[in-house]
Amino acid sequence: MCEASAYIVRRDGREELILEGVDIVEPEEGSGGAIRIVSIFGEQKVLRARLKSMSLVNHKIVLEEAG
Amino acid sequence: MCEASAYIVRRDGREELILEGVDIVEPEEGSGGAIRIVSIFGEQKVLRARLKSMSLVNHKIVLEEAG
C-alpha cells in the first residue's frame, strides 16, 4: 500500500501527526491557501497550510501551518 | 514500489509527463514558487508550478504551470 502519513509543523515548531493512510493531497480551491488531504478510509481534513516536504518512498507528507 | 509519475498541465491545457519514479516533492526554497521533484534514480527537476492534485494510490502527481 502506498498511502502516506501526513504531519503538520505547527507555528511553534512542533510536528504533529494529523492523518494516516493519506491518498489524496490537493489545494482546497477558493480557500486562499488551504490544503485538503483525504485518506483511503475517506477521512478528510482541510488545513490552512502549505506543503513543506514529501517522500513517497518514506510514506511521509509534511505540511507547514500557514502564518 | 510507491513512487509516482509527475505530470504538468501547461498553460494551454496540455498535460505532459515530466518525470517517472518520483519520490520527493518539495518547494524550492527562495525560488518564489517553484517546486522540486526528485526521482528514485536521482533525477531532479525544478519547475515554476504549483501542486494541482496528487493521488498516491494512483501513483499520479499533477502540477500546474505557474502563470
Side-chain angles (χ1 to χ4, degrees):
Chain A
M1 301 297 273
C2 289
E3 320 86 53
S5 293
Y7 298 81
I8 193 162
V9 176
R10 298 296 186 186
R11 281 187 291 272
D12 63 9
R14 280 178 306 120
E15 187 175 295
E16 192 178 308
L17 176 64
I18 44 171
L19 192 59
E20 293 182 299
V22 173
D23 171 20
I24 292 168
V25 180
E26 57 187 16
E28 171 78 346
E29 294 304 334
S31 68
I35 289 182
R36 176 206 306 270
I37 55 178
V38 186
S39 81
I40 54 169
F41 311 108
E43 193 181 356
Q44 170 177 305
K45 293 196 178 180
V46 177
L47 302 122
R48 289 201 60 79
R50 66 179 201 115
L51 181 67
K52 182 177 163 68
S53 64
M54 179 165 60
S55 167
L56 303 186
V57 170
N58 293 331
H59 303 273
K60 185 169 182 176
I61 298 165
V62 183
L63 305 176
E64 190 168 50
E65 196 169 30
Chain B
M1 301 296 272
C2 288
E3 322 83 55
S5 294
Y7 298 81
I8 192 162
V9 177
R10 298 297 185 186
R11 281 187 291 269
D12 62 9
R14 279 178 307 121
E15 188 175 295
E16 192 179 308
L17 176 64
I18 44 173
L19 192 59
E20 292 181 299
V22 172
D23 171 19
I24 292 168
V25 179
E26 58 187 17
E28 171 78 347
E29 294 302 336
S31 68
I35 289 182
R36 176 205 306 270
I37 54 179
V38 186
S39 81
I40 55 169
F41 311 108
E43 194 181 353
Q44 170 177 303
K45 294 197 177 179
V46 177
L47 302 123
R48 290 200 59 79
R50 67 179 200 113
L51 181 67
K52 182 176 164 68
S53 65
M54 179 166 59
S55 167
L56 303 185
V57 170
N58 294 330
H59 303 273
K60 184 169 185 177
I61 298 165
V62 183
L63 306 177
E64 190 169 49
E65 197 168 29

